[in-house]
Amino acid sequence: MRTLKGIGVSPGVVIGKVKVLRAEEITVPKVNVKDSEIPNEIARFEEALTKTRAELLGIRRKISQEIGRDHSDIFNAHLLILEDRTLIEDVIGLIKSEKVTTEYAFSVILQRYFHAFSQIDDEYLKERISDIKDIGKRVLSHLMSQERESLVSLREAVIVVSHDLSPSDTATMDRKNVIGFATDIGGPTSHTAIMARSMEIPAVVGLERISKEVTSGDKLIIDGTHGLVIINPDESTVEKYLSEGKKFAMYILELEKLRNLPAETKDKHQVELAANIEFPDEIPSVISHGANGIGLYRTEYFYLNRQDLPTEEEQFVAYKTVAEQMKPNPVVVRTLDLGGDKFLSSLDVPREMNPFLGWRAIRFCLTRVDVFRAQLRAILRASHYGNLKIMYPMISNLDELRQAHEILRSVGEELTKEGIPYDKDIDVGAMIEIPSAAITSDSLAKEADFFSIGTNDLIQYSLAVDRVNEKIAYLYQPTHPAILRLIQQTIKNAHDNKIWVGICGEMSGDPVSALLMVGMGVDELSTSPFVLPKIKKVIRSVNFSDVKALAEKVLSDFHTAEEIRNYAEKELNRLIPGFSDEYLT
Ligand code: PEP
Ligand code: MG
């Protein structure tokens, strides 16, 4: 028996048999060919590309029908790699000049691509390496007539162990028989993690060597809540985890009972609980987790993984679907928040020294008005079909808000002239995620219909801590007094001006921070769908008067993030017996 520690990215416990999806490179020996064989090698290459293309189109069709177009779009990037003229010509050139087999030439050129991509200091492009690898393996398996191991049809329930899981592995997977994931690499926002959470199966990533340490058929325990994996556990460990698994299942059942109950404190103070989404196909999960609406619909994912810009029509269809499915509940559509860690392949955005402080989000939209108008037209048109609201990201001053309003007004006029119906009273809000916006929220509140505080960025910009740099992660402190004061000030300014204010950063998914913010009087919390029941349960376990007093006390009596966190945790344990054990493990 051996225990490995990784990063738990999807909670729960599962015990089962391993299926290792081998991720090793297919090794290709160098084999020379005669001059007369060269045309045949080139023909083989073209045939392999055609077969791979047909395979990918098949997968794309299947995903599009079963899961939705947004997910199938990832394969457009794969198809583009296959059609890359430079890559094709490089391979043919090498076959001719070195007189080698197609598979050898192809693997050499692929290695050059990997090398070139890994030198680029750009996380988004680095991630494309896995797309190229995925394609490379498919083409090579056709050339070498090797059947790629897959998860397409499984005879029994398995825990999938792999170096990493590619979108095409998970997309074609036999979902009913996959009960857990464990991978060598990845973090909380990796593809494997997102997939596991949407399938609601336990997963641990970042285990470094798990794919080398187990073989198919081994017994494995995955504890996704604590980020542990136990290889070939003994009887007593299996017993212990069987009971952990039962406890977790009961806990989920208990949370499900809360689905149709309001998020209100014991003394009847109500809070709206909403969900953050990226894709329309997350709506069933939003509804099943009991959200009152969508507090943040991130739309930049439309623009990723593609060479062209999304059309107004394409966006309209997605926004309309979400509006209709959530009706009469509200959906806050955030306009394009490009930049920082979200790069777009379809737009020619120059690289910058400080991308988080650069030409991004609303700043980008106010210059690329063509892109902005297309999105606003799509949102306004869709607003006719449900309860949509518009929200601008990264507002740093009143001028930006005014300029955005002006563009929206002119887009509305255009639609009116064209006789296209839309919600003329649509609410338009500002994200408060830059300290200057929080500090001047009294002025902004006079010209916005609502605020949503983006604590992920508010923390990053207020504390000068890059949110994706793990070296300084210890400085990323949600309960820093500066953050709580900015939140408090924003809530007060919103309420003084009779507008509502929500929180849509990760802080709303943390039970301690969520209760502190409820105590400060926030009107809405928006977070990942699967965290909502837990947040609802903690809200229903306290009195508003108690968390209000707690928020006041931490703001006045404590001076460091740690002191505040410790005191809040201690006090919440007093108010909700067993709080830490139940909610913070
Ligand atoms: C935020 O900054 O808190 C937020 C919700 O937006 P994003 O994480 O998309 O930047
Ligand atoms: Mg943000």
Side-chain angles (χ1 to χ4, degrees):
M1 174 170 114
R2 235 161 343 121
T3 304
L4 303 180
K5 174 96 182 98
I7 307 166
V9 291
S10 183
V13 171
V14 71
I15 305 178
K17 257 197 203 164
V18 169
K19 161 124 180 125
V20 183
L21 194 67
R22 287 283 164 215
E24 299 108 311
E25 311 304 322
I26 302 175
T27 45
V28 186
K30 181 172 183 183
V31 178
N32 285 104
V33 293
K34 296 191 200 108
D35 278 335
S36 60
E37 286 168 339
I38 289 179
N40 186 38
E41 287 304 310
I42 296 173
R44 281 182 61 231
F45 182 44
E46 278 161 1
E47 192 191 341
L49 291 180
T50 312
K51 280 189 186 159
T52 311
R53 189 178 157 73
E55 192 175 273
L56 285 174
L57 286 172
I59 299 176
R60 190 176 67 171
R61 201 173 321 112
K62 182 163 181 269
I63 306 299
S64 171
Q65 283 160 359
E66 289 178 8
I67 318 183
R69 261 214 64 187
D70 293 309
H71 285 284
S72 73
D73 283 347
I74 182 100
F75 293 99
N76 294 346
H78 286 201
L79 285 162
L80 280 172
I81 297 169
L82 268 190
E83 284 160 11
D84 187 304
R85 284 313 311 167
T86 327
L87 183 127
I88 297 173
E89 277 158 21
D90 283 351
V91 174
I92 295 179
L94 202 68
I95 297 174
K96 288 183 182 160
S97 63
E98 299 276 312
K99 300 189 182 35
V100 285
T101 53
T102 302
E103 40 275 56
Y104 182 73
F106 184 63
S107 65
V108 168
I109 298 296
L110 273 192
Q111 285 308 325
R112 282 190 202 156
Y113 270 63
F114 296 156
H115 185 71
F117 270 68
S118 56
Q119 300 295 307
I120 303 172
D121 187 19
D122 178 328
E123 279 312 310
Y124 176 73
L125 285 179
K126 274 191 186 148
E127 275 173 30
R128 302 284 67 77
I129 295 180
S130 62
D131 290 343
I132 302 180
K133 278 195 176 150
D134 203 37
I135 288 293
K137 271 192 246 151
R138 284 182 186 279
V139 175
L140 281 176
S141 67
H142 283 299
L143 283 168
M144 301 172 81
S145 321
Q146 274 182 14
E147 268 311 304
R148 215 177 108 77
E149 220 174 336
S150 79
L151 304 168
V152 178
S153 57
L154 296 165
R155 247 173 275 118
E156 54 181 349
V158 292
I159 292 173
V160 175
V161 173
S162 177
H163 180 64
D164 190 18
L165 286 167
S166 70
S168 61
D169 290 325
T170 51
T172 50
M173 180 169 70
D174 173 4
R175 287 176 176 231
K176 62 183 187 311
N177 277 321
V178 174
I179 54 172
F181 290 144
T183 59
D184 295 344
I185 61 169
T189 54
S190 59
H191 175 73
T192 310
I194 293 168
M195 203 65 200
R197 289 195 292 262
S198 86
M199 289 168 69
E200 296 181 28
I201 58 173
V204 180
V205 302
L207 287 154
E208 292 178 2
R209 293 185 49 81
I210 179 107
S211 70
K212 311 247 167 16
E213 300 206 9
V214 296
T215 36
S216 291
D218 276 349
K219 192 180 219 172
L220 207 66
I221 297 177
I222 300 216
D223 176 351
T225 314
H226 302 105
L228 295 177
V229 167
I230 302 162
I231 305 170
N232 292 326
D234 57 28
E235 274 306 305
S236 65
T237 311
V238 170
E239 287 297 314
K240 177 177 156 217
Y241 276 93
L242 278 175
S243 96
E244 288 283 321
K246 272 191 207 131
K247 255 202 264 167
F248 187 77
M250 301 274 291
Y251 176 62
I252 295 292
L253 272 180
E254 202 199 320
L255 290 181
E256 272 175 12
K257 286 192 212 135
L258 299 174
R259 187 188 306 170
N260 299 318
L261 297 175
E264 66 180 13
T265 56
K266 292 198 277 190
D267 49 356
K268 304 281 176 228
H269 173 85
Q270 282 227 6
V271 183
E272 294 298 320
L273 267 195
N276 294 353
I277 62 160
E278 271 126 41
F279 305 107
D281 51 34
E282 288 174 83
I283 302 284
S285 161
V286 169
I287 294 170
S288 73
H289 286 91
N292 302 126
I294 309 271
L296 170 65
Y297 176 8
R298 291 182 167 101
T299 58
E300 33 298 342
Y301 292 86
F302 267 121
Y303 300 74
L304 297 176
N305 278 325
R306 58 192 291 167
Q307 302 299 316
D308 56 342
L309 282 170
T311 61
E312 173 190 324
E313 197 55 29
E314 183 183 341
Q315 296 187 67
F316 164 68
V317 171
Y319 302 149
K320 177 170 176 266
T321 310
V322 175
E324 282 174 340
Q325 290 184 12
M326 289 304 296
K327 198 174 161 185
N329 292 315
V331 176
V332 177
V333 185
R334 179 177 72 184
T335 58
L336 177 59
D337 185 16
L338 138 92
D341 56 344
K342 285 168 270 188
F343 291 99
L344 307 193
S345 40
S346 49
L347 291 163
D348 192 17
V349 179
R351 285 194 58 70
E352 298 178 333
M353 287 287 281
N354 290 303
F356 278 111
L357 303 181
W359 187 44
R360 55 169 303 196
I362 195 71
R363 304 165 181 186
F364 171 86
C365 288
L366 293 176
T367 4
R368 282 294 303 267
V369 180
D370 55 326
V371 176
F372 196 34
R373 288 184 77 96
Q375 179 170 39
L376 292 176
R377 272 184 68 99
I379 303 173
L380 281 188
R381 283 172 57 199
S383 67
H384 180 63
Y385 300 89
N387 181 2
L388 292 190
K389 298 178 193 298
I390 296 177
M391 176 161 79
Y392 303 127
M394 300 283 302
I395 291 288
S396 70
N397 62 42
L398 189 56
D399 291 328
E400 287 170 333
L401 184 61
R402 286 181 177 162
Q403 282 176 49
H405 281 330
E406 182 48 32
I407 296 172
L408 180 68
R409 196 194 50 75
S410 122
V411 168
E413 255 177 34
E414 194 175 84
L415 291 178
T416 308
K417 270 196 211 122
E418 291 168 29
I420 299 174
Y422 68 95
D423 176 4
K424 297 213 166 57
D425 296 320
I426 192 165
D427 282 346
V428 184
M431 273 194 87
I432 304 294
E433 50 184 345
I434 297 183
S436 61
I439 294 164
T440 58
S441 51
D442 52 340
S443 320
L444 293 170
K446 297 194 171 58
E447 301 190 26
D449 296 316
F450 65 91
F451 285 158
S452 187
I453 306 177
T455 52
N456 304 342
D457 279 318
L458 188 63
I459 297 168
Q460 151 162 281
Y461 295 125
S462 307
L463 307 182
V465 186
D466 179 342
R467 68 192 250 192
V468 292
N469 184 340
E470 70 278 2
K471 280 207 197 71
I472 46 166
Y474 70 99
L475 287 174
Y476 190 90
Q477 300 171 327
T479 52
H480 190 300
I483 302 301
L484 299 186
R485 286 183 205 176
L486 288 172
I487 294 176
Q488 182 194 39
Q489 193 177 346
T490 306
I491 296 173
K492 179 174 184 312
N493 286 331
H495 289 171
D496 284 352
N497 286 283
K498 311 227 160 1
I499 64 169
W500 64 267
V501 51
I503 310 268
C504 62
E506 293 304 305
M507 266 177 96
S508 35
D510 165 57
V512 176
S513 305
L515 287 179
L516 282 177
M517 293 182 296
V518 169
M520 287 187 210
V522 77
D523 303 292
E524 181 213 67
L525 294 170
S526 190
T527 185
S528 314
F530 72 100
V531 185
L532 286 175
K534 182 160 89 177
I535 299 300
K536 189 184 276 185
K537 191 162 177 223
V538 287
I539 292 174
R540 294 180 60 85
S541 311
V542 289
N543 277 309
F544 178 60
S545 54
D546 289 332
V547 285
K548 185 166 183 281
L550 172 62
E552 277 161 15
K553 185 161 173 69
V554 298
L555 275 155
S556 62
D557 290 8
F558 298 97
H559 308 284
T560 73
E562 203 183 337
E563 281 169 20
I564 293 179
R565 175 90 198 181
N566 289 346
Y567 180 78
E569 262 184 56
K570 195 168 116 241
E571 190 57 9
L572 289 173
N573 270 302
R574 190 181 66 76
L575 297 171
I576 311 173
F579 173 81
S580 293
D581 287 345
E582 183 167 356
Y583 300 105
L584 303 183
T585 50

